[in-house]
Amino acid sequence: MTRTGIEYLRAKDQDSAVALVAEDPDAAFLAGGTTELDLALKDRVVHPSRFVDIGRLPLRGVTRDGDRLRVAALTTMEELAADPTVRARLPLVREALLLGASTQLRNMATIGGNLLQRTRCRYFRDPDVAACNKREPGSGCAAIEGVARMHAILGAGPSCIALHASDLCVPLVALDAVVELLDADGPRRVPLTDFYLTPGDRPDVETVLRHGELLTHVEIPLLPAGTRSAYIKVRDRTSYEFGLTTAGAAVQVDDGTITMARVGLGGVGTVPWRSWEAERVLVGSPANERTFAAAAQAAIRDPFTVPGTEFKVELAKRTIVRILRTVTS
Amino acid sequence: MTTTLTKQSLLGRPIDRIDGRRKVAGAAPYPSDFDLPGQAHAALVSSTIANGRITRIDRSAAEAAPGVLLVLTRDNAPAVADPPMSNLGSTMRWYFRDDRILHYGQHIGIVVAGTRAQAQAAARLVEVEYAAEEPVLDLDDPRATIEENPYGLDSSRGDAAAALDAADVTVDSTYTIGAEINSPMGLFTTVASWQGGRLVVHDTTQFPSMVRASLAAMFGVPERDVRVLIPFLGGGFGAGLRLWSHTVLTTMAARELDRPVKLVLTRPQMFSSTGHRAASRQRMRLGATQDGRLVAIDHDAVAANGIGDMLPAPIEMGTPMAYACDNVATHERRAHLNIAFTGFMRAPGSVELHFALESALDELAGKLGIDPVELRLRNYAEVHPESGKPWSSKALRECLTVGADRFGWSGRDPSPRSTRDGDLLVGQGMAEASFDFYAQPCTVRLSVDRGGNALVRTGATDIGTGTYTITAQLTADLLGIEVDQVRVELGDTDLPPAPQSGGSGLAGALGAAVKDAAAALGERLARLDGRPGETIASLLDRHGLDELSATGHSDLPAAAATTDLAVAGPFAATFAEVGVDEELGVVRVRRLVSVIDGGRLYNEKTARSQIIGGTVMGIGAALLEEAAYDPHTGRVANGTFGDYLMAVNADVPDLDITFVGGPDAFNPVGTKGLGEIGIVAVAPAIANAVHHATGRRIRDLPITLDKLL
Ligand SMILES: Cc1cc2nc3c(=O)[nH]c(=O)nc-3n(C[C@H](O)[C@H](O)[C@H](O)COP(=O)(O)OP(=O)(O)OC[C@H]3O[C@@H](n4cnc5c(N)ncnc54)[C@H](O)[C@@H]3O)c2cc1C
Ligand code: SF4
């Protein structure tokens, strides 16, 4: 499919933004554009008829409401990382943001766009590759038998192994963040852990977001005082690379026993991965290497691997052990 | 301003690039900056299989698309002659010669339209049907055609097999390196326009005279009617040393349309259109006495090559001259695979050889319990090991000793896993390198005018490394004028013929030619009866002359054939310290010291920049860079700058770079090329450091973290 022109419209307000996308099945929101413009103009794997630019809507900034932080969708990654409450109370969110992309990108990229970024799978992003179930349902998956180092091992299956590569989402799923959505039927709230869909037999459907629905805010509960948290990103290159495996964790330890634990994993899941399994092992257990190893074991259960991703099973476990050691030491 | 050479030498001074301001201001035109009146824009159609035949191409939808002016495929393309062999020993296989598909991304058509967007959209509408076959992608694939001794460089002195058998200690290891892509920043571009029968091409090339000769032959016009322009080049690392098909296709389209056509490759296309360092495998066998004297080197190498291609990038060439060893045998093979055509990527062959040889030497040092620096000194080749002639210059010993000193090598505990820093294992490794260079004849025209200003003209290119600057600096030095009184014109085949900028040979050849021109000019000036201390300006004035010119020439290959010296290239020793997070496999370079013998330096700053660039690229080669081929289609699966990882700033520690040695006795200016030597010893030094840190010998580049888990 080729289109020689894309209509560009700038939304006046939230409602008209929603209406302008809803009325055209091929229209798309445009926020910072760092994902969408690549896909549409460089890689040419998405073919929007219309961009509805939401970049100037007044959906920017961070407000605190008691022990919850409300982040408007157009806040940039750099802005959220610089927020004083994030600095003080959510160090894992700040670290995840600052280990992502590059400063230039983080100054353009929005939080809403980060949550909705598309996979980096190079088979998805090259229109000359025919077999991609995410792009063309039923066409197959070239990555499964191809070069799949940057792919997922959890939530993956024979239809698709594409990674959700966001760093930010890893702490956000661990922290029980909630997204606020808006469309013509009004607003709704969805926990981030329910927002993403594993591929199943519909890898093209990635979230519960409806066409034309605008992500307006992300609500992040703050961590209780005395919680220790951190984020770690393991990669070949020191900066400016997506993670091979990442982990974010927040724990409270009382007298050597873990009393609260939140674990999110990146680099491994088709969706940002919340590891309730690891948390179950951790809570009530002594904060020691044995516990960490057991948690890691529980977290990486039944991985779906291909030759290129096999190493991630071990690496992810070690990453989990490292982050747990870091936040409990 | 005098005609004598008594001024304090300008040569070697770290002056800023004379073109720096223009570059920073965006005023230096790179090929993609050229737009000609009436120009149309092109996009390529590339194959989506790696092996087979084209059975049908349907152009009609593309031809009917908005703005489209022309769609050329082999069905409707005019015939062209085969291009001639270049003096680097390569030629281009013209894809349109037959219906075969040899690799993924092979150019099978060009679409020209009013705008680039229109051309790119229409290129997707060209329908191609193939009879596809399984591609042959692996060096070990039994279906691969293998050529034995493809360069005629297999060599043997003494009896390596017998010496290996008799050796006290041996090493027998196999080393592999994945394919690497040159990846210059500047996307390769061709802007072609025919004016009457005359062709003018702005082309991204490091070798304009080769492009001129090739296009003239292919399109059947005299060379004097082809002009290739490349005043500024956004990097090449060897990618610009061959003629590539996009240049021919753009030139052809411009002729068919009788209007200028511009093509800028996309970044993914750069991964299969402009060459790369071939994947290779080497078996290195060393034999030594207990006290660390090398008695045998047996080197066996195989590297990939495109099908029907014949690029000479031998790995074995430097083996016999590396060490004083009586018994050396080399064997090389070339495996023809369904991969994009390879190219000359920075220190081609030498990077591969030194990774294997210098890793093997480290293994040998470990077995013998001899310090790696000491082992190299014990086998130091005082004279050329093949010819027995004295080197024209060789300060490799100083590279080793000065490097060891600056690095603090003597404090190193030789046992692996002996040093920790927090979570990290710390290791230190080193390697040396001997490099050959490749020079060609060069001609320059030098003029001085009544204002006392000089103009130097030659058809060479500056690939971003400082050729403009060092040419001006040398000229100013020879004429006793200031650098800003010298204007340098490069990158135009209408200028006197110059060799490629590649093979670390240009600076030496060009400098020698400038020196020759300055001498000729000096003679002409002398014939004008200069008075003591008289300036060039007044001399010309007195004789009513506007300017005076002379031509200078150098032919280093001819000189090399008759000299009693073993003509040396640059030498290097690199010392690296790495930290390895053993639990996670992550390797980071913490410190790196390189000491270089580059002969006499033109400019200490541009020289250092060359070594920095080579070192950064070496870190990438050691830890990051590898083109990943899809095993079924042969498509480069990581063909973007987001996916193909090169070293970024955060991967590079402070680099300690030192130059040693004096003027080379063979080169008239005393210089040796510096464009490639900086990369050569980096990967083995890092691999050796990883072994020292972890006790694990990784013989497969790049050393990505999964290999250490
Ligand atoms: C080279 C590179 C490196 C990167 N590295 C990292 C990294 O290391 N870690 C990491 O986490 N990320 C990384 N990213 C991804 C980057 O963070 C995302 O591209 C960015 O956050 C997307 O935000 P945006 O505002 O530019 O979104 P856009 O590109 O404008 O939009 C992205 C998608 O979301 C939709 N959308 C955007 N906003 C809304 C909204 N409010 N409501 C509904 N739909 C919306 C768009 O329609 C589009 O489909 C990298 C990106 C690049 C290009
Ligand atoms: S992994 Fe998913 S996105 Fe990638 S090729 Fe397969 S189906 Fe497409």
Side-chain angles (χ1 to χ4, degrees):
Chain A
M1 179 176 184
T2 59
R3 226 188 267 283
T4 38
I6 301 175
E7 186 184 12
Y8 173 87
L9 300 172
R10 184 171 284 153
K12 288 198 309 292
D13 53 37
Q14 295 181 33
D15 290 336
S16 66
V18 167
L20 288 171
V21 173
E23 72 187 20
D24 177 347
D26 293 325
F29 292 114
L30 189 64
T34 61
T35 286
E36 186 65 18
L37 294 180
D38 269 7
L39 293 176
L41 303 180
K42 277 197 190 159
D43 298 332
R44 290 169 185 264
V45 288
V46 300
H47 309 283
S49 56
R50 168 190 287 180
F51 280 138
V52 177
D53 188 345
I54 54 173
R56 297 199 186 169
L57 294 183
L59 277 174
R60 196 154 174 176
V62 184
T63 49
R64 183 165 171 190
D65 178 10
D67 57 359
R68 306 178 81 80
L69 210 60
R70 197 153 174 265
V71 183
L74 295 170
T75 309
T76 67
M77 291 171 73
E78 278 290 318
E79 286 165 354
L80 183 58
D83 180 79
T85 312
V86 170
R87 272 176 194 267
R89 299 287 299 278
L90 297 169
L92 77 174
V93 171
R94 178 176 158 81
E95 289 162 21
L97 284 164
L98 294 181
L99 289 170
S102 64
T103 316
Q104 295 93 323
L105 281 159
R106 295 194 300 266
N107 278 326
M108 287 301 290
T110 65
I111 298 306
N114 189 290
L115 268 52
L116 289 164
Q117 65 176 270
R118 307 296 303 278
T119 184
R120 309 306 296 189
C121 173
R122 268 318 292 174
Y123 294 88
F124 170 73
R125 287 178 176 245
D126 183 343
D128 285 338
V129 173
C132 174
N133 288 327
K134 193 183 276 298
R135 243 192 299 119
E136 205 59 62
S139 61
C141 171
I144 285 196
E145 298 203 334
V147 176
R149 186 173 163 78
M150 303 301 289
H151 286 69
I153 57 172
L154 298 177
S159 71
C160 180
I161 55 172
L163 180 73
H164 193 288
S166 165
D167 287 294
L168 171 65
C169 289
V170 173
L172 292 192
V173 290
L175 294 170
D176 285 327
V178 174
V179 288
E180 295 178 22
L181 311 174
L182 176 78
D183 73 359
D185 295 340
R188 60 175 176 142
R189 291 163 56 85
V190 181
L192 198 56
T193 47
D194 295 337
F195 182 69
Y196 296 104
L197 302 173
T198 53
D201 50 15
R202 286 302 300 275
D204 55 317
V205 185
E206 298 177 350
T207 66
V208 300
L209 196 72
R210 299 190 281 253
H211 179 71
E213 205 170 16
L214 182 70
L215 195 162
T216 59
H217 295 87
V218 186
E219 200 180 85
I220 316 172
L222 296 180
L223 287 165
T227 310
R228 294 203 38 201
S229 77
Y231 182 75
I232 179 181
K233 181 168 183 176
V234 182
R235 48 184 166 179
D236 288 312
R237 184 156 79 179
T238 313
S239 90
Y240 202 20
E241 190 197 1
F242 288 92
L244 287 167
T245 58
T246 81
V251 297
Q252 285 184 352
V253 181
D254 191 6
D255 207 12
T257 301
I258 299 168
T259 56
M260 186 279 264
R262 304 291 192 75
V263 179
L265 304 177
V268 290
T270 53
V271 299
W273 202 260
R274 170 77 178 267
S275 186
W276 282 285
E277 296 84 354
E279 294 171 12
R280 272 197 291 272
V281 171
L282 293 168
V283 174
S285 301
N288 62 25
E289 288 285 322
R290 232 161 99 216
T291 301
F292 304 156
Q297 194 66 33
I300 313 296
R301 248 187 354 181
D302 300 328
F304 180 89
T305 60
V306 296
T309 55
E310 264 159 21
F311 76 98
K312 285 192 173 184
V313 174
E314 182 60 26
L315 185 65
K317 290 179 187 167
R318 295 187 187 188
T319 308
I320 295 166
V321 169
R322 176 65 65 82
I323 194 73
L324 293 172
R325 201 187 290 139
T326 307
V327 293
T328 55
S329 68
Chain B
M1 199 173 27
T2 65
T3 54
T4 51
L5 301 186
T6 52
K7 269 185 64 165
Q8 188 198 352
S9 180
L10 278 169
L11 218 54
R13 281 205 219 154
I15 64 165
D16 292 344
R17 277 159 209 257
I18 62 173
D19 50 351
R21 180 177 286 271
R22 286 178 77 189
K23 285 188 168 177
V24 173
Y30 292 89
S32 56
D33 295 326
F34 284 96
D35 289 300
L36 303 181
Q39 150 191 302
H41 295 265
L44 294 170
V45 184
S46 305
S47 74
T48 55
I49 65 164
N51 188 17
R53 284 175 193 284
I54 301 170
T55 52
R56 195 178 73 93
I57 303 183
D58 185 348
R59 303 188 305 273
S60 53
E63 283 170 345
V68 170
L69 302 164
L70 177 71
V71 181
L72 277 179
T73 69
R74 72 176 289 269
D75 293 341
N76 64 338
V80 288
D82 277 339
M85 181 72 81
S86 91
N87 66 6
L88 295 177
S90 68
T91 179
M92 188 192 69
R93 188 190 183 286
W94 174 232
Y95 294 130
F96 284 14
R97 183 198 295 172
D98 52 36
D99 60 4
R100 285 181 71 192
I101 296 294
L102 307 172
H103 67 87
Y104 193 101
Q106 173 175 327
H107 305 160
I108 54 183
I110 185 167
V111 176
V112 187
T115 69
R116 180 159 146 97
Q118 286 172 333
Q120 288 181 335
R124 307 208 56 75
L125 297 175
V126 175
E127 282 171 35
V128 187
E129 286 169 21
Y130 306 97
E133 288 164 43
E134 268 292 302
V136 180
L137 298 169
D138 201 283
L139 284 175
D140 294 319
D141 193 316
R143 295 169 300 166
T145 310
I146 304 285
E147 266 176 289
E148 298 284 343
N149 192 12
Y151 317 109
L153 285 175
D154 282 9
S155 65
S156 174
R157 71 170 179 256
D159 185 344
L164 271 174
D165 278 345
D168 296 342
V169 178
T170 58
V171 168
D172 180 353
S173 293
T174 297
Y175 304 87
T176 51
I177 305 179
E180 294 167 24
I181 311 291
N182 304 50
S183 299
M185 283 284 277
L187 295 169
F188 274 37
T189 297
T190 305
V191 186
S193 94
W194 289 83
Q195 292 149 12
R198 219 177 167 230
L199 170 65
V200 178
V201 194
H202 297 269
D203 191 45
T204 308
T205 180
Q206 296 167 242
F207 199 175
S209 61
M210 177 276 295
V211 172
R212 177 174 69 169
S214 302
L215 293 179
M218 292 185 81
F219 290 94
V221 293
E223 274 198 42
R224 63 171 184 281
D225 286 346
V226 179
R227 184 175 185 192
V228 178
L229 292 163
I230 174 74
F232 292 96
L233 172 53
F237 311 113
L241 291 173
R242 300 189 75 176
L243 176 72
W244 301 112
S245 86
H246 67 267
T247 301
V248 180
L249 286 168
T250 310
T251 304
M252 182 180 277
R255 188 158 81 168
E256 294 300 297
L257 284 171
D258 197 18
R259 87 189 245 194
V261 175
K262 175 173 183 171
L263 174 75
V264 183
L265 294 185
T266 65
R267 181 58 64 186
Q269 285 168 350
M270 292 287 289
F271 282 76
S272 50
S273 305
T274 57
H276 67 274
R277 187 190 306 286
S280 62
R281 189 184 56 232
Q282 301 170 72
R283 181 178 181 197
M284 189 64 77
R285 282 182 291 175
L286 305 180
T289 59
Q290 273 312 340
D291 63 352
R293 271 186 311 103
L294 277 172
V295 294
I297 302 174
D298 188 297
H299 182 199
D300 180 273
V302 57
N305 214 229
I307 294 192
D309 197 17
M310 33 183 274
L311 184 88
I315 296 174
E316 65 187 340
M317 190 166 75
T319 316
M321 69 162 184
Y323 289 102
C325 173
D326 290 340
N327 307 292
V328 179
T330 71
H331 332 267
E332 185 151 348
R333 276 158 291 129
R334 195 152 63 172
H336 293 277
L337 308 178
N338 291 113
I339 53 166
F341 292 154
T342 58
F344 303 101
M345 181 164 160
R346 206 172 203 166
S350 189
V351 160
E352 292 89 324
L353 160 66
H354 283 87
F355 172 58
L357 180 59
E358 294 298 299
S359 295
L361 232 75
D362 203 62
E363 298 192 38
L364 183 65
K367 281 192 171 183
L368 292 166
I370 296 177
D371 178 79
V373 174
E374 173 59 26
L375 181 63
R376 285 163 176 86
L377 290 172
R378 282 189 200 172
N379 293 285
Y380 194 79
E382 298 287 353
V383 295
H384 193 285
E386 294 271 284
S387 65
K389 291 180 184 174
W391 298 98
S392 57
S393 59
K394 181 170 182 175
L396 179 56
R397 188 188 308 282
E398 289 81 346
C399 293
L400 290 163
T401 53
V402 171
D405 214 39
R406 295 187 73 85
F407 187 80
W409 182 261
S410 62
R412 172 182 183 263
D413 179 337
S415 38
R417 307 183 64 85
S418 53
T419 313
R420 280 185 183 272
D421 178 3
D423 277 340
L424 302 179
L425 286 165
V426 177
Q428 301 179 332
M430 56 79 55
E432 67 168 52
S434 306
F435 193 77
D436 220 344
F437 67 94
Y438 188 76
Q440 285 288 307
C442 184
T443 305
V444 304
R445 187 87 179 141
L446 174 61
S447 315
V448 287
D449 67 17
R450 254 202 239 196
N453 298 311
L455 173 65
V456 191
R457 284 174 295 177
T458 181
T461 58
D462 185 334
I463 52 175
T465 51
T467 309
Y468 281 107
T469 306
I470 62 171
T471 304
Q473 211 168 340
L474 176 64
T475 305
D477 186 71
L478 291 167
L479 297 181
I481 59 179
E482 300 300 327
V483 175
D484 62 10
Q485 291 178 289
V486 184
R487 201 151 61 84
V488 183
E489 286 181 7
L490 304 174
D492 178 350
T493 52
D494 278 0
L495 299 174
Q500 76 287 343
S501 44
S504 297
L506 179 64
L510 177 54
V514 168
K515 194 170 177 184
D516 187 50
L521 197 65
E523 274 173 33
R524 299 199 58 186
L525 288 167
R527 271 186 249 126
L528 296 179
D529 297 322
R531 297 169 188 150
E534 185 174 18
T535 63
I536 295 173
S538 101
L539 198 58
L540 293 183
D541 200 39
R542 199 151 54 77
H543 288 80
L545 293 167
D546 284 333
E547 65 167 45
L548 206 58
S549 298
T551 297
H553 188 70
S554 74
D555 187 347
L556 298 182
T562 56
T563 176
D564 289 336
L565 297 170
V567 178
F571 297 92
T574 297
F575 295 76
E577 179 177 290
V578 301
V580 182
D581 184 326
E582 196 176 30
E583 188 173 37
L584 303 175
V586 177
V587 180
R588 298 285 181 253
V589 182
R590 291 155 58 105
R591 261 178 344 114
L592 199 140
V593 172
S594 269
V595 185
I596 309 287
D597 165 15
R600 186 165 184 201
L601 304 182
Y602 287 100
N603 178 324
E604 215 258 346
K605 186 173 188 176
T606 55
R608 181 175 302 274
S609 296
Q610 280 279 38
I611 303 306
I612 291 173
T615 307
V616 171
M617 213 164 175
I619 293 173
L623 301 176
L624 299 167
E625 291 193 39
E626 178 168 18
Y629 292 92
D630 182 82
H632 295 288
T633 62
R635 165 181 165 269
V636 177
N638 58 348
T640 73
F641 272 7
D643 299 87
Y644 179 85
L645 301 183
M646 290 171 280
V648 294
N649 253 328
D651 295 302
V652 183
D654 273 346
L655 303 176
D656 181 306
I657 289 157
T658 307
F659 294 97
V660 295
D664 181 75
F666 169 72
N667 184 277
V669 190
T671 187
K672 302 194 276 192
L674 287 170
E676 299 172 276
I677 184 67
I679 188 175
V680 182
V682 177
I686 290 173
N688 293 341
V690 167
H691 175 261
H692 183 232
T694 64
R696 300 190 49 189
R697 177 70 61 185
I698 307 298
R699 301 187 181 88
D700 178 36
L701 294 185
I703 306 174
T704 49
L705 60 83
D706 45 297
K707 294 175 188 170
L708 284 164
L709 284 182

